[in-house]
Amino acid sequence: MESIAGLLESTAYMNSIYSPILLRLDNEKDKETFESLFENNRVSYINDNIFSQLKELIKCLNPSLKLNHNEYRELIDKKIGGKDITHYGVWVYYPWNQRLVHLLDETEFIEVRTNRNRYKITKEEQNILQTKKIGIAGLSVGQSIALTMAMERSCGELRLADFDTAELSNLNRIRTGVFNLGIRKTVIAAREIAEIDPFFKVKLFNDGLNTENINEFFLDGGKLDLFVEVCDGLDVKIAGRYKAKELKVPVIMDTNDRGMLDVERFDLESDRPILHGLAEGLSPNNIKGLSNEEKIPYILRMIGAEAISTRLKVSMLEVEQSINTWPQLASSVTLGGALTTDVSRRILLDQYHESGRYYIDMEELIKDKKDEAVQPLPETYIGPPELTRDEMLQDLQNFIPRTENTALAEETITEIVEAGILAPSGGNAQPWKLIYTAKGLFIFHDAHFSHSLLDFNNLGSYVGIGAVIENISIKASVFGYSIISDYFPVTGNKKIVAHIVFKKGEDSAVKNYLEPGVTIRVTNRDLAAKEIFPNDFYDYLKSSIESYQGAELYIVDDESLMKDLGEVLSKAEMLRILHPRGHYDTFTNELRWTQEEVELKRDGLDINSLGATQSELAGFKLAADTHVIALVRQLNGGMAFTKMVNKSVAVSSSLGIITMPTYSELDFVQGGRAVERIWIEANLAGVSFQPISQLVFLLARLKHGNETIDDYYKIELGKLEKAFNSLLPQLTNKQPVFMFRLAKAGPPKVRSLRRPIESSFTYLPNF
């Protein structure tokens, strides 16, 4: 064991050596060193192929001659001038593997080694390249680039910067053997180059590129002629480009995906913004103060997240879920080495002068020929046409009210309806139309806006319409009116959800205190430190809905139970996103990606209202790609979509479940009134409220319409149902209509907008 320990110690010393020893036997000192290698048993392998190399040299110098073996020997004898051939050229000793090789000396070696470059690279061009210096930061893709440049001799000097060592997982793309694990990537690359060409000049920066060594990297021994940036660190990307721009050095970047190559000609365009303007606002000074989270939007802009491959998008979503880090493939790395070397050579030879971003996408260039026409959406995804005023009036033509209505002035009913439509709805779909006539106020369900996977049997819409009715009741009380609601008043017509008549005489003080809550009520998905609420607060919430026709509130504030319940809720969210229809509903119909879209449509959810971190927002943008989700489903991935719900539950004070006695349209409408009351009460108390009800509506579809979902989702939802019932057995004979979380997060940063009232309300007092 002592011998092993000693060998490990000497090997550790050897791991930093990357320069070969050049020995010319005509030099007495070199000859002594050469002989000592054998005396000390430091040579494990010897290669003396000098005669063959001399044959190649003669052939290169006399390409038109056809020589036989004897003629070659005569010319070789003449070439070496009668001296011992073992003294010709140079012996190269590689200490790290104890190999000794007999080679032509530098000039002749380069002549023979680059001979096959002619005339793709002329001799004159090769001589120009010999004077050029290239710096490479990052040695995953960078190793392939460095080796390709060295093989081609696209320059005379390489400066290699990387702080990392080789790990086993690197060997899928870095060309080296397992005996090099734990050795610096810079050393490995330098050794590979030295074993190809011992005369090639290589300088290493083993701490990577940083503020302390950046001047040396760019200037020591002469200014770089080209900077190749292929590292992961955003700091280096920015600082390196600022230095390159200052010194007028062109920059090339390869991203190892879709053959994307980036070129910035700072040597020709001194005012060019770095990264084509995609890094606007970043500098070497301010980037130091950014957290990793804050850097994400810049990184995504720089790489062009919308243009990366489907598989890389999927991989980004699965990082720290089913994979450890972003993937890189040897084929892509090798392609990057070829592309970067080719473009670098043409820049250095003054043959290419443009800046730009280019894609050499092999999957696009070489693929099966198939019909790439955009497939139409399945008919089941498309909701019915929007309800028109004439259709609603037709439905009301023969309606006979059960109770006489008190006529309201247009200003009064408009104000009441404005309060009503501030109610929440799934995905802020606002699936309602209201029409006021002499017979009262009618609320229609317009499935055009709510048609979705979650709105099974319109149950989610009924909860939202119940909330509208609750708001109307509260606002009407301010004017001294009570309301009488008749639910589903027309047999066989579920579009008419409610008929409301107004009666004078209620003591308006009963609900007046709730009226400010109608306007402040808001979904708040922002996260804050967990705060414990007293039991009397929950008792108050429960008592506020005691008169709401069977509605009950269950509070879960046990931390362990909340965590387990959060797992169930988060997996329901994951299943919704992974379901093709659920994905379409969420990413096409529901989310609003720009402020212009938010203002124009005034429905759906502003992406900035989700309370998401920068990395989570980036994930949403990647997940918007249907091809990405299809592949995630295929890989049985998607756990990244559970993180936001789990994280929000973890910092919540409690979870709430509102139940009704039965599964029926009526109970969901009446349950919606209870939802709005509790929501308003919570917000008035300064408590934040966020719906987490996906499970409720997915389980409704499973239990009452599972023919509309495939076997995979039936199985997965069945697991969630079983887990939910196990966690909350007291709800087994109840019908959950809504679930939410409570916290103390302060006012939200963004509120959802509402469509203009004229788009959903019609006033016809004489009809």
Side-chain angles (χ1 to χ4, degrees):
M1 294 300 292
E2 290 181 5
S3 62
I4 293 177
L7 188 57
L8 286 172
E9 185 176 345
S10 64
T11 301
Y13 162 74
M14 191 63 67
N15 284 347
S16 62
I17 295 174
Y18 61 91
S19 296
I21 298 172
L22 305 183
L23 301 171
R24 295 171 177 87
L25 298 189
D26 288 342
N27 180 292
E28 192 60 34
K29 187 175 181 181
D30 285 359
K31 185 178 179 182
E32 290 177 6
T33 302
F34 179 84
E35 291 171 349
S36 71
L37 292 174
F38 293 95
E39 292 169 1
N40 296 319
N41 295 316
R42 301 299 300 273
V43 178
S44 62
Y45 173 88
I46 188 168
N47 183 302
D48 186 357
N49 193 34
I50 193 67
F51 185 83
S52 177
Q53 295 171 48
L54 284 164
K55 280 180 65 176
E56 280 196 280
L57 175 62
I58 289 168
K59 182 65 175 175
C60 292
L61 297 174
N62 304 277
S64 63
L65 295 181
K66 306 297 181 185
L67 303 174
N68 60 36
H69 179 75
N70 290 331
E71 289 170 328
Y72 270 119
R73 181 169 290 279
E74 289 176 10
L75 290 173
I76 289 173
D77 288 341
K78 183 178 179 181
K79 176 73 175 171
I80 64 176
K83 69 178 180 180
D84 185 350
I85 196 171
T86 60
H87 284 235
Y88 190 84
V90 61
W91 286 86
V92 181
Y93 179 66
Y94 296 97
W96 52 89
N97 57 24
Q98 297 189 335
R99 294 187 175 191
L100 185 65
V101 184
H102 194 183
L103 298 174
L104 296 173
D105 216 335
E106 184 171 4
T107 302
E108 294 176 343
F109 177 90
I110 293 172
E111 172 65 33
V112 175
R113 201 175 78 73
T114 61
N115 185 262
R116 295 287 182 93
N117 290 350
R118 312 289 186 269
Y119 282 114
K120 288 199 169 185
I121 305 175
T122 67
K123 189 173 181 63
E124 292 74 19
E125 289 170 339
Q126 200 81 61
N127 290 336
I128 293 171
L129 294 173
Q130 183 79 4
T131 68
K132 302 300 183 181
K133 303 172 182 65
I134 297 177
I136 302 175
L139 287 176
S140 287
V141 179
Q143 192 219 34
S144 178
I145 294 169
L147 294 184
T148 307
M149 287 178 169
M151 282 189 283
E152 198 173 271
R153 263 196 170 262
S154 297
C155 61
E157 178 183 332
L158 281 172
R159 299 174 191 170
L160 307 180
D162 199 302
F163 59 84
D164 211 352
T165 59
E167 298 177 336
L168 182 57
S169 60
N170 297 146
L171 301 193
N172 75 318
R173 67 206 187 267
I174 293 180
R175 198 193 80 171
T176 193
V178 292
F179 43 79
N180 280 332
L181 293 177
I183 297 178
R184 291 183 180 277
K185 291 179 179 179
T186 48
V187 171
I188 292 170
R191 287 179 175 181
E192 291 272 4
I193 292 170
E195 289 172 4
I196 295 167
D197 187 335
F199 307 105
F200 199 98
K201 186 175 180 181
V202 178
K203 185 174 182 180
L204 303 189
F205 292 77
N206 292 327
D207 295 324
L209 191 59
N210 53 55
T211 53
E212 286 73 29
N213 66 19
I214 194 167
N215 283 325
E216 180 186 357
F217 182 81
F218 272 87
L219 295 171
D220 192 46
K223 188 179 77 170
L224 285 181
D225 296 287
L226 183 71
F227 175 45
V228 177
E229 184 277 296
V230 279
C231 60
D232 293 333
L234 182 58
D235 299 27
V236 176
K237 289 181 182 292
I238 300 304
R241 280 171 174 78
Y242 267 85
K243 179 58 68 173
K245 182 176 179 178
E246 173 193 332
L247 299 174
K248 298 184 178 181
V249 174
V251 177
I252 296 180
M253 174 180 72
D254 179 272
T255 61
N256 189 231
D257 182 66
R258 294 188 62 212
M260 195 273 266
L261 194 78
D262 215 56
V263 182
E264 297 169 272
R265 296 302 303 268
F266 298 123
D267 54 327
L268 304 179
E269 305 169 79
S270 58
D271 295 330
R272 183 174 187 82
I274 66 169
L275 277 158
H276 319 297
L278 298 173
E280 185 178 359
L282 287 183
S283 71
N285 295 324
N286 64 24
I287 197 172
K288 296 176 183 176
L290 296 181
S291 66
N292 289 335
E293 190 71 34
E294 291 168 328
K295 292 175 184 177
I296 286 172
Y298 294 102
I299 294 171
L300 292 177
R301 281 211 311 268
M302 290 175 193
I303 66 173
E306 70 288 343
I308 64 178
S309 67
T310 297
R311 287 180 181 259
L312 183 57
K313 289 178 183 177
V314 170
S315 300
M316 291 173 73
L317 290 174
E318 289 296 306
V319 167
E320 296 184 350
Q321 303 300 319
S322 60
I323 57 176
N324 291 323
T325 187
W326 296 2
Q328 293 177 303
L329 291 177
S331 54
S332 300
V333 167
T334 303
L335 176 63
L339 295 175
T340 305
T341 300
D342 179 88
V343 173
S344 298
R345 181 184 69 248
R346 291 188 285 123
I347 288 175
L348 295 176
L349 293 175
D350 198 29
Q351 296 169 353
Y352 164 65
H353 309 90
E354 300 293 329
S355 296
R357 178 163 287 184
Y358 308 91
Y359 293 89
I360 311 298
D361 189 341
M362 303 307 289
E363 290 189 22
E364 278 296 310
L365 294 171
I366 305 170
K367 61 182 178 180
D368 290 336
K369 294 180 174 64
K370 58 185 179 181
D371 182 12
E372 296 184 350
V374 177
Q375 297 298 314
L377 285 173
E379 290 185 9
T380 56
Y381 287 24
I382 309 301
E386 184 176 351
L387 276 179
T388 66
R389 188 182 78 161
D390 290 344
E391 287 173 324
M392 291 188 288
L393 293 178
Q394 180 66 36
D395 287 339
L396 299 178
Q397 190 70 42
N398 300 314
F399 180 78
I400 300 174
R402 299 176 186 175
T403 306
E404 187 176 349
N405 179 54
T406 300
L408 300 182
E410 182 174 3
E411 295 79 8
T412 301
I413 188 60
T414 299
E415 197 170 335
I416 290 172
V417 169
E418 283 177 333
I421 63 176
L422 290 175
S425 55
N428 191 29
Q430 304 166 52
W432 45 67
K433 289 285 178 68
L434 297 91
I435 188 165
Y436 183 78
T437 73
K439 301 172 185 178
L441 179 65
F442 295 89
I443 304 179
F444 284 75
H445 170 226
D446 192 341
H448 172 77
F449 298 103
S450 60
H451 184 72
S452 65
L453 177 72
L454 286 187
D455 201 26
F456 173 70
N457 277 355
N458 308 316
L459 300 178
S461 293
Y462 293 152
V463 171
I465 290 173
V468 171
I469 296 168
E470 182 67 9
N471 280 0
I472 287 172
S473 173
I474 293 169
K475 191 67 177 181
S477 73
V478 175
F479 292 98
Y481 294 100
S482 61
I483 68 169
I484 299 173
S485 302
D486 188 8
Y487 301 111
F488 302 105
V490 178
T491 303
N493 187 343
K494 295 294 178 65
K495 287 187 295 184
I496 307 175
V497 180
H499 169 234
I500 297 173
V501 296
F502 298 86
K503 293 294 181 181
K504 194 73 175 173
E506 178 183 319
D507 181 0
S508 61
V510 173
K511 288 188 175 179
N512 271 4
Y513 82 94
L514 294 172
E515 194 263 344
V518 172
T519 54
I520 70 167
R521 185 216 57 80
V522 67
T523 296
N524 193 335
R525 302 176 182 86
D526 295 339
L527 304 184
K530 188 181 182 77
E531 184 172 327
I532 304 301
F533 295 154
N535 287 332
D536 58 1
F537 171 69
Y538 297 129
D539 292 339
Y540 174 75
L541 290 183
K542 292 175 183 178
S543 67
S544 70
I545 59 168
E546 285 178 347
S547 62
Y548 282 62
Q549 295 137 319
E552 293 183 83
L553 170 63
Y554 291 83
I555 292 292
V556 177
D557 58 356
D558 176 79
E559 197 162 312
S560 177
L561 181 55
M562 285 176 63
K563 181 179 179 181
D564 292 342
L565 191 54
E567 288 289 339
V568 175
L569 297 174
S570 68
K571 287 177 182 174
E573 169 68 354
M574 179 187 78
L575 289 176
R576 173 176 78 120
I577 291 175
L578 293 183
H579 192 285
R581 172 69 184 283
H583 181 270
Y584 172 80
D585 296 335
T586 304
F587 289 92
T588 301
N589 278 353
E590 184 174 304
L591 289 177
R592 304 289 175 253
W593 299 92
T594 66
Q595 190 57 38
E596 291 75 16
E597 189 181 19
V598 169
E599 294 286 350
L600 177 66
K601 295 187 175 180
R602 303 186 70 82
D603 62 6
L605 300 181
D606 184 338
I607 190 72
N608 296 307
S609 73
L610 301 184
T613 64
Q614 295 293 348
S615 59
E616 288 163 345
L617 287 175
F620 272 104
K621 291 174 182 176
L622 296 174
D625 188 331
T626 56
H627 300 293
V628 168
I629 294 301
L631 185 53
V632 170
R633 283 196 300 270
Q634 183 181 328
L635 297 172
N636 293 321
M639 290 302 292
F641 300 123
T642 67
K643 291 171 65 176
M644 283 184 66
V645 173
N646 276 321
K647 188 167 64 172
S648 65
V649 169
V651 298
S652 298
S653 301
S654 58
L655 300 176
I657 304 125
I658 298 172
T659 66
M660 294 295 289
T662 65
Y663 172 86
S664 68
E665 290 96 339
L666 178 59
D667 271 9
F668 274 84
V669 175
Q670 293 179 324
R673 293 195 64 173
V675 169
E676 183 72 342
R677 176 64 180 269
I678 288 174
W679 200 328
I680 288 173
E681 295 279 12
N683 283 178
L684 284 172
V687 174
S688 303
F689 187 108
Q690 179 193 347
I692 318 178
S693 290
Q694 295 88 335
L695 182 68
V696 169
F697 303 111
L698 287 174
L699 291 185
R701 186 176 286 277
L702 174 70
K703 294 165 70 174
H704 302 282
N706 66 8
E707 72 282 352
T708 62
I709 51 177
D710 63 28
D711 289 342
Y712 168 78
Y713 289 96
K714 288 178 186 177
I715 292 170
E716 294 303 313
L717 285 172
K719 293 177 184 176
L720 297 186
E721 180 183 34
K722 183 177 179 180
F724 182 78
N725 291 337
S726 174
L727 293 171
L728 297 171
Q730 66 270 40
L731 302 186
T732 301
N733 297 318
K734 302 287 184 179
Q735 174 58 57
V737 298
F738 204 78
M739 299 182 68
F740 57 91
R741 73 177 190 92
L742 297 174
K744 208 68 178 287
K749 300 178 183 67
V750 180
R751 294 179 65 100
S752 295
L753 302 182
R754 294 294 183 273
R755 291 190 292 270
I757 188 171
E758 56 269 19
S759 70
S760 58
F761 175 55
T762 303
Y763 180 71
L764 292 174
N766 298 320
F767 180 81

